[in-house]
Amino acid sequence: MILCKSIAELRALLKPLKTQGKTVGLVPTMGALHAGHGSLIAASARENDFTVVSVFVNPTQFGPNEDLDAYPRTLESDCQLAEKMGANAVFAPSVHEMYPSEDMTWVEVTGNITKVLCGKSRPIHFRGVTTVVAKLFLIAAPDRAYFGQKDAQQAEVIKRMVKDLFFDLELRIMPIVREEDGLAKSSRNTYLNAKERQAALCLSRSLKEAERLYRNGERNPEVLKKAVRNVLNAEPLAEIDYVDIYAVPGLKEPAVPLTGENLLAIAVKIGTTRLIDNVVLGDITTC
Ligand code: PAF
């Protein structure tokens, strides 16, 4: 597996492959790879001739009081996992490589889609995500790009950007990968101590309760949200950031009673660690 640290190196690697008509899959990550990323890499390796995993802790998507400095940086083990799951190259640029000047171009999706859910408490987050993902798309020009449903709002925002900017690629949004006990895999799970790790199970438990009610015919979003809150509030270490329901695609206000597909998304602080999880209520259920 090849490690590229510069844009020029990656482009030089990909150019002959494209000339030969080979397909390229891109898996953008911030590193600290876990089985969730592994499933994206494996999907890309199955569906493309060549898979590139980008590992870049993107400073522009972190707010001033967020965990940029503490974010785990584990390039060596990331390369090992990427290779094991079938990646052909890892692209790990420096901050200066990706943001060479203080004067810079932003790519921003505006409107409710970036203001609701995580956008409420992280007002600059999605602008940072779309800016870096657009750069990665322009550098690697992938045929397919892979993201996880765990970051459901991110996936919706990137879908919007791809459509609006006419990126010529296929977005593949892959299902949430969970631990055996239900906790959604996340790089931030490593911050949890044993007690918090146990407490964090309230997230998937609360979504399962909503799914159960939905399966039994409940279509009132307020009732479903209240049921989720009740489960979360019963956990002393949990502090709710949001519990919300929006119609997908697009994160529009949901119909009442609910029809079609709706995203039930939650963000909860367990100790100092903010975790997110979600389930799509409708034809497809992912929890
Ligand atoms: O989901 C992530 O890890 C990041 O938001 C992404 C898409 C790699 C952009 O930095």
Side-chain angles (χ1 to χ4, degrees):
M1 201 199 55
I2 302 155
L3 175 62
C4 297
K5 296 231 169 172
S6 75
I7 295 167
E9 270 175 282
L10 183 66
R11 284 197 161 144
L13 178 67
L14 297 179
K15 202 170 174 185
L17 296 170
K18 288 181 181 160
T19 314
Q20 291 162 35
K22 305 258 192 238
T23 57
V24 172
L26 173 69
V27 185
T29 81
M30 295 207 300
L33 301 187
H34 50 67
H37 299 109
S39 76
L40 305 183
I41 299 167
S44 175
R46 272 195 311 276
E47 297 174 0
N48 300 280
D49 298 314
F50 197 89
T51 290
V52 179
V53 177
S54 64
V55 173
F56 179 63
V57 182
N58 174 35
T60 63
Q61 68 189 73
F62 289 78
N65 299 316
E66 294 180 8
D67 56 347
L68 173 62
D69 291 337
Y71 202 85
R73 285 155 171 91
T74 55
L75 185 58
E76 216 178 292
S77 53
D78 290 344
C79 288
Q80 282 162 9
L81 180 74
E83 182 166 27
K84 189 168 145 217
M85 299 315 287
N88 305 97
V90 164
F91 175 51
S94 65
V95 172
H96 185 258
E97 184 77 2
M98 292 301 278
Y99 296 103
S101 166
E102 274 184 16
D103 300 330
M104 59 169 285
T105 304
W106 291 106
V107 176
E108 183 170 16
V109 176
T110 59
N112 261 353
I113 193 169
T114 48
K115 290 198 177 66
V116 297
L117 303 174
C118 290
K120 265 191 206 154
S121 59
R122 308 186 74 192
I124 60 156
H125 174 69
F126 291 110
R127 183 185 66 167
V129 169
T130 42
T131 298
V132 81
V133 170
K135 284 173 185 259
L136 292 168
F137 286 175
L138 291 165
I139 294 164
D143 297 279
R144 297 185 186 85
Y146 295 78
F147 296 88
Q149 171 65 16
K150 158 126 185 314
D151 295 300
Q153 184 174 17
Q154 169 171 283
E156 289 298 317
V157 171
I158 292 171
K159 277 185 210 164
R160 184 75 257 162
M161 177 189 78
V162 163
K163 207 167 177 186
D164 288 350
L165 297 185
F166 311 107
F167 278 110
D168 188 14
L169 55 84
E170 184 188 348
L171 276 184
R172 302 278 289 126
I173 311 300
M174 309 309 283
I176 298 177
V177 178
R178 294 179 182 280
E179 305 284 357
E180 264 184 26
D181 58 10
L183 182 66
K185 301 248 187 195
S186 163
S187 307
R188 293 199 164 96
N189 292 351
T190 57
Y191 300 156
L192 302 169
N193 64 32
K195 228 172 139 192
E196 291 167 343
R197 170 68 184 72
Q198 193 56 31
L201 295 178
C202 67
L203 278 86
S204 55
R205 207 166 47 238
S206 72
L207 296 177
K208 275 202 171 5
E209 174 59 7
E211 271 197 302
R212 189 187 66 77
L213 292 171
Y214 188 87
R215 263 198 314 275
N216 290 344
E218 182 58 65
R219 292 293 182 271
N220 182 333
E222 293 310 318
V223 173
L224 292 166
K225 286 193 276 186
K226 188 152 192 283
V228 171
R229 284 182 171 276
N230 286 344
V231 175
L232 296 172
N233 284 332
E235 170 49 63
L237 291 185
E239 189 194 321
I240 298 174
D241 178 356
Y242 63 73
V243 172
D244 239 321
I245 298 184
Y246 287 99
V248 281
L251 304 186
K252 304 268 187 251
E253 284 301 324
V256 183
L258 295 175
T259 55
E261 284 192 351
N262 295 280
L263 177 75
L264 166 51
I266 61 179
V268 181
K269 256 181 149 183
I270 304 288
T272 53
T273 307
R274 185 174 175 280
L275 299 175
I276 57 172
D277 203 346
N278 69 80
V279 63
V280 175
L281 301 171
D283 302 338
I284 309 164
T285 51
T286 56
C287 182

